[in-house]
Amino acid sequence: MVRTASLLAGAASLLAARACVTVQYPFPAGTNSNSSKASAVVEEYRYVWGQYEKYAFGNDSLLPLNNSAENDLFGWGASIVDGIDTAVIMGLTDIVEKQLAWIASVDFTRSESLVDEFDAMIRYIGGLLSAYDLINSPIVPAGTYNQTQVDALLTAAKTISDQLKPAFNTTSGLPLSQTNITTGESSNCNPLEPCNSVNVDTAVCGTLILEWYRLSDLTNDTSYRELAERTEANLISPNQNLSFPYIVGLSLDVNTGKYNSFQGGWQGGIDSFYEYLIKTYIYAPTEPSTVDYKDYWVGSVNSTQVNLVEHPFQHPELTFISQLDNNGALEHTMDDYACFAGGNILLGGRYLNDSATFDFGLELTDSCHTLFNSSEAGLNPFQWSWFNSTNQTYTPSDAQNPDNVAYAEKNGFYIDDPSWGAFPEPIESMFYAYRLTGDTKWQDYVWEAFQSMLKDTQRNSSETFAQLTNVTQPLGGALDNYVPSFFFAEVLKYFYLTFADPSLVSLDEYVFNTESHPYKIQSGTCASSVAASVVPRQSYFSFGNYFSTGPTASGTFIVEANTTLILPALQSPHTGNLGLWPGMGMDDGDLVQGLAISTVGVGSPCNLGTNDVKWCVTASTLENNQEDGAVYRANPGDKVTYHYKYNTSTSKVDQTVSVNGNVVSTLSTSSGRGGLGWGTAMECQQAKCGTVPTHHYVDTKLTMSAANPNYASTLGREGSSGSLVTADGGKTWTVADITINQYTYT
């Protein structure tokens, strides 16, 4: 067996995903996809892409009504860069090849206009990193795309980021919003000079931690993360009075780092600041800074429920988040952007195991869905308002408009801006509701929205997709001459993933940026995504049945773990690279994993031949690289005991691997303070590993640094059985027998 980092990084990835195993609903394998509806979304991508390729290729945006193009996002081909990861996920190889070739040809050190940090970050850097992650994942078979062009994705993300760095040279560390990347000059105005503005939107400052965390991990260059953390510190430590606790304002002063507008809410200009707090924690939950982000998000959600949530007059079934004016008064209004909050709160509620927060997210998502049902076009308006609980409107004249009164009496709100800009946020939240609850009604809602979109925007064979001017009119009023890049990046991706197999881009494995670009999660149990992304992948990669536990309670660790694997017969037929291992994900991202390996035809650490009926056993830890102890040839039926213990005198984790009571391999590594989770894995690479017989781990014992009385609730099992038991209130947990059922790789 070739002992590559990718083999074991993939194993670490599995353990990482299982640490948040409760995030996505446990769909039974092979269920809940709808291939015909998913295919319809793919055809829409192909159709609109075909118009873009014909009339606008290489430009930023398609103008569909006059078959032309414009460069409104720096002239780098925004629709290509923003939309490539959706094409990767859909398996549109022919389109991706063209997109990769274009991206590799772009000079990202030049632009046709000033570069605004926000769009450069979420659309370009976000899209490049996501495509890089996805192509270098098991989703895409190895060798599908030109590797030089794939590597150019990461190079481009780094190049753009480097061009943006001068914008952060302010006294506060907050970025200036506009940059001339040729000269390195930045300001908050376009053109740059003259400029007297010190204001920068909260969302501009707060929507970069996820991208630059990922870039730092992929490049091993911490400068991006450090700039992002310095910026974020201003936002979550304002050191000033806010209208309500944890409810930030709309803009900040780049000189002082303080909020200078107290217009609040979850609307555009603020929205993705809140979004990234919990998502960056999910991406890297063991980083001290991300724990602070999570805590601020929890405070914001709680304060929102107390201070911003309203139920319109005589419509208690609706739950909306009001915007605030600069004096802290509720404006009884909400925009499309804020509908992302339902999905974000659902995700955070599930990850943090907070059922009340989760239910709040469902209420918000359901309320945003009602916007579709109430419009003539079957699509949502951009902004709406309501009469508050005392039947008052923020703007008194709104209450004098009989159309507003009648519409609100029927629907619970009235429409301020009836345009439909193809913004994805309500669909996004319904996607999360489906993936997190498994309730197919959310698929039905999304399909209804998709059908309305097709009906309204493609009225005859000569018209392609376009935005709409008025959803209160039949077919949404007039067509608007613009196709935004986020139509490819977000709208079609959320539509597609709602109907594709739910294991595709699972929420247990990926976290999405605000432009719907998924990044591999760097879980609290192991930072596998970095290693998996920068080493050659195998031609075949799959996991079988498992037994998993974790994460531990906050501030506690597994300090000792012991289990005995009774080696089964070799897999039949004896093909592929098979590894069986019990692993413990450490708080510093390492994976302690003693191994039992059956390798066929491509080498082996034990120099096993193709016909050797042996297992190769060793102590091992996955850090940035793989570190192994001595190797030993073991026989089927041998009892292999794996013992991991944190050594307080050396601050290292000591591994001892014994076969039938005799020590055969040891290893000590600096791997943090203890484990955040423990589990077993059955891992196959290079070729299908045939049928793996039923096998057992016996006498398993986990010792905690402090009692974890609820640790049994973290148990995850797939094709396995065994129960966690404690006799001392959760300080020690045991499993007498873990049975891993027979599994066939297909």
Side-chain angles (χ1 to χ4, degrees):
M1 174 181 183
V2 175
R3 293 294 311 286
T4 64
S6 61
L7 174 76
L8 300 169
S13 178
L14 177 69
L15 196 62
R18 281 191 257 138
C20 54
V21 68
T22 57
V23 174
Q24 183 160 293
Y25 180 81
F27 296 95
T31 67
N32 288 78
S33 61
N34 188 309
S35 59
S36 63
K37 292 177 179 177
S39 295
V41 181
V42 172
E43 286 309 303
E44 177 69 358
Y45 189 108
R46 280 197 177 276
Y47 176 65
V48 182
W49 168 263
Q51 299 298 304
Y52 170 81
E53 185 178 21
K54 183 176 181 179
Y55 298 112
F57 185 83
N59 293 280
D60 291 331
S61 306
L62 170 67
L63 305 180
L65 302 188
N66 58 4
N67 295 330
S68 62
E70 71 175 0
N71 282 325
D72 54 331
L73 288 163
F74 332 135
W76 293 334
S79 292
I80 296 173
V81 182
D82 216 6
I84 183 173
D85 62 346
T86 303
V88 170
I89 290 167
M90 291 178 172
L92 300 176
T93 308
D94 56 327
I95 293 176
V96 174
E97 287 174 344
K98 296 173 183 177
Q99 293 169 328
L100 283 171
W102 168 260
I103 293 168
S105 73
V106 175
D107 181 357
F108 288 102
T109 66
R110 294 179 171 274
S111 67
E112 292 193 4
S113 62
L114 296 178
V115 173
D116 78 83
E117 181 264 312
F118 183 76
D119 284 308
M121 189 67 65
I122 68 170
R123 302 193 199 212
Y124 284 104
I125 297 170
L128 292 163
L129 293 175
S130 176
Y132 184 82
D133 261 356
L134 290 165
I135 293 174
N136 285 299
S137 80
I139 291 173
V140 178
T144 300
Y145 299 113
N146 181 308
Q147 192 60 44
T148 299
Q149 294 177 346
V150 173
D151 293 342
L153 297 170
L154 182 59
T155 300
K158 187 177 186 304
T159 297
I160 299 171
S161 296
D162 289 341
Q163 304 300 316
L164 293 176
K165 281 182 175 180
F168 293 79
N169 292 333
T170 62
T171 55
S172 66
L174 296 176
L176 297 165
S177 61
Q178 304 287 333
T179 297
N180 182 324
I181 62 172
T182 302
T183 65
E185 297 174 288
S186 300
S187 83
N188 281 330
C189 301
N190 188 353
L192 296 180
E193 297 295 343
C195 184
N196 295 317
S197 175
V198 297
N199 298 342
V200 60
D201 281 357
T202 300
V204 170
C205 302
T207 314
L208 53 96
I209 47 176
L210 193 53
E211 285 77 15
W212 275 3
Y213 263 61
R214 187 70 186 125
L215 183 60
S216 284
D217 286 340
L218 288 172
T219 62
N220 292 316
D221 182 345
T222 62
S223 65
Y224 309 108
R225 180 182 305 206
E226 290 164 359
L227 284 173
E229 290 178 341
R230 183 185 178 210
T231 297
E232 197 75 9
N234 290 276
L235 277 64
I236 66 170
S237 304
N239 194 28
Q240 63 187 126
N241 292 327
L242 303 173
S243 296
F244 296 109
Y246 298 98
I247 303 301
V248 300
L250 184 63
S251 65
L252 301 99
D253 185 318
V254 295
N255 294 324
T256 66
K258 293 185 178 297
Y259 291 99
N260 56 13
S261 167
F262 296 97
Q263 291 177 272
W266 290 59
Q267 70 269 28
I270 302 174
D271 47 0
S272 45
F273 158 68
Y274 291 125
E275 178 184 1
Y276 273 31
L277 293 173
I278 189 64
K279 285 185 172 181
T280 308
Y281 176 70
I282 291 172
Y283 171 74
T286 61
E287 294 286 339
S289 56
T290 69
V291 175
D292 293 338
Y293 304 157
K294 179 262 295 181
D295 291 343
Y296 200 93
W297 183 87
V298 170
S300 299
V301 171
N302 291 339
S303 186
T304 295
Q305 293 183 79
V306 173
N307 299 302
L308 304 187
V309 164
E310 291 193 295
H311 305 289
F313 183 70
Q314 294 185 341
H315 282 270
E317 76 281 5
L318 296 179
T319 300
F320 293 138
I321 299 176
S322 177
Q323 297 179 16
L324 295 176
D325 67 16
N326 206 40
N327 297 314
L330 298 179
E331 295 183 330
H332 320 309
T333 191
M334 187 171 172
D335 66 15
D336 174 285
Y337 297 130
C339 278
F340 92 92
N344 186 249
I345 291 169
L346 280 168
L347 179 66
R350 173 57 55 82
Y351 192 89
L352 300 176
N353 197 27
D354 185 335
S355 60
T357 295
F358 189 83
D359 290 344
F360 175 41
L362 284 176
E363 293 172 7
L364 290 171
T365 303
D366 203 33
S367 298
C368 284
H369 168 251
T370 64
L371 302 167
F372 292 75
N373 295 339
S374 60
S375 77
E376 184 72 24
L379 296 170
N380 61 298
F382 179 73
Q383 186 149 359
W384 59 98
S385 296
W386 55 88
F387 291 77
N388 69 3
S389 60
T390 60
N391 205 22
Q392 303 294 313
T393 59
Y394 178 77
T395 303
S397 60
D398 284 0
Q400 308 306 313
N401 185 323
D403 291 338
N404 289 345
V405 174
Y407 202 97
E409 286 179 351
K410 178 181 178 181
N411 300 299
F413 57 90
Y414 57 93
I415 295 175
D416 297 316
D417 183 345
S419 64
W420 180 78
F423 295 115
E425 286 77 15
I427 304 301
E428 171 186 350
S429 287
M430 288 188 272
F431 159 76
Y432 278 104
Y434 167 62
R435 283 287 189 95
L436 296 173
T437 68
D439 190 337
T440 57
K441 77 174 184 181
W442 298 105
Q443 284 182 306
D444 296 337
Y445 293 165
V446 171
W447 182 244
E448 290 167 0
F450 181 73
Q451 290 181 305
S452 293
M453 182 189 75
L454 294 186
K455 170 178 64 71
D456 295 341
T457 63
Q458 296 177 9
R459 304 172 187 183
N460 59 59
S461 59
S462 66
E463 292 176 333
T464 186
F465 171 86
Q467 295 174 319
L468 302 169
T469 59
N470 194 331
V471 297
T472 67
Q473 297 177 3
L475 298 180
L479 294 172
D480 196 9
N481 191 27
Y482 189 67
V483 178
S485 69
F486 59 73
F487 177 71
F488 296 106
E490 300 186 76
V491 177
L492 292 180
K493 188 181 289 110
Y494 286 128
F495 275 136
Y496 178 72
L497 288 176
T498 302
F499 304 115
D501 190 307
S503 66
L504 180 63
V505 195
S506 167
L507 297 179
D508 286 328
E509 299 177 61
Y510 291 88
V511 61
F512 290 73
N513 89 334
T514 194
E515 192 80 357
S516 188
H517 296 308
Y519 309 137
K520 283 291 289 184
I521 290 173
Q522 179 188 328
S523 137
T525 54
C526 57
S528 64
S529 52
V530 177
S533 296
V534 298
V535 297
R537 291 175 299 109
Q538 308 303 310
S539 58
Y540 181 83
F541 178 94
S542 184
F543 286 105
N545 295 330
Y546 63 79
F547 179 99
S548 72
T549 70
T552 56
S554 178
T556 67
F557 310 99
I558 302 168
V559 293
E560 186 172 6
N562 195 86
T563 192
T564 297
L565 167 63
I566 302 174
L567 290 173
L570 301 182
Q571 72 270 29
S572 178
H574 190 199
T575 57
N577 296 355
L578 178 68
L580 307 179
W581 51 267
M584 186 163 72
M586 308 304 292
D587 69 311
D588 71 343
D590 288 357
L591 177 64
V592 174
Q593 48 167 189
L595 299 162
I597 307 165
S598 169
T599 301
V600 178
V602 289
S604 164
C606 288
N607 295 314
L608 295 174
T610 302
N611 297 320
D612 285 331
V613 186
K614 297 281 187 178
W615 290 90
C616 184
V617 173
T618 182
S620 186
T621 295
L622 175 64
E623 301 170 301
N624 291 326
N625 297 299
Q626 196 74 33
E627 188 170 351
D628 298 328
V631 295
Y632 179 84
R633 297 183 177 199
N635 298 306
D638 282 348
K639 296 180 179 180
V640 184
T641 299
Y642 300 92
H643 181 240
Y644 314 147
K645 184 175 182 179
Y646 178 71
N647 188 327
T648 56
S649 62
T650 63
S651 298
K652 292 187 175 183
V653 176
D654 296 335
Q655 287 186 64
T656 303
V657 179
S658 304
V659 175
N660 301 327
N662 299 310
V663 174
V664 297
S665 185
T666 61
L667 183 66
S668 294
T669 54
S670 297
S671 297
R673 298 167 292 174
L676 301 179
W678 182 95
T680 73
M682 177 195 302
E683 179 191 8
C684 175
Q685 286 202 2
Q686 292 291 357
K688 297 174 183 177
C689 292
T691 298
V692 181
T694 297
H695 52 281
H696 301 264
Y697 292 84
V698 298
D699 300 328
T700 300
K701 181 179 179 181
L702 308 178
T703 303
M704 305 293 182
S705 60
N708 273 230
N710 299 316
Y711 194 65
S713 66
T714 70
L715 178 59
R717 291 173 295 206
E718 179 71 32
S720 66
S721 61
S723 299
L724 279 169
V725 177
T726 182
D728 58 6
K731 184 71 183 326
T732 306
W733 291 89
T734 60
V735 189
D737 178 89
I738 299 171
T739 300
I740 308 296
N741 296 334
Q742 175 178 296
Y743 183 87
T744 301
Y745 286 94
T746 58

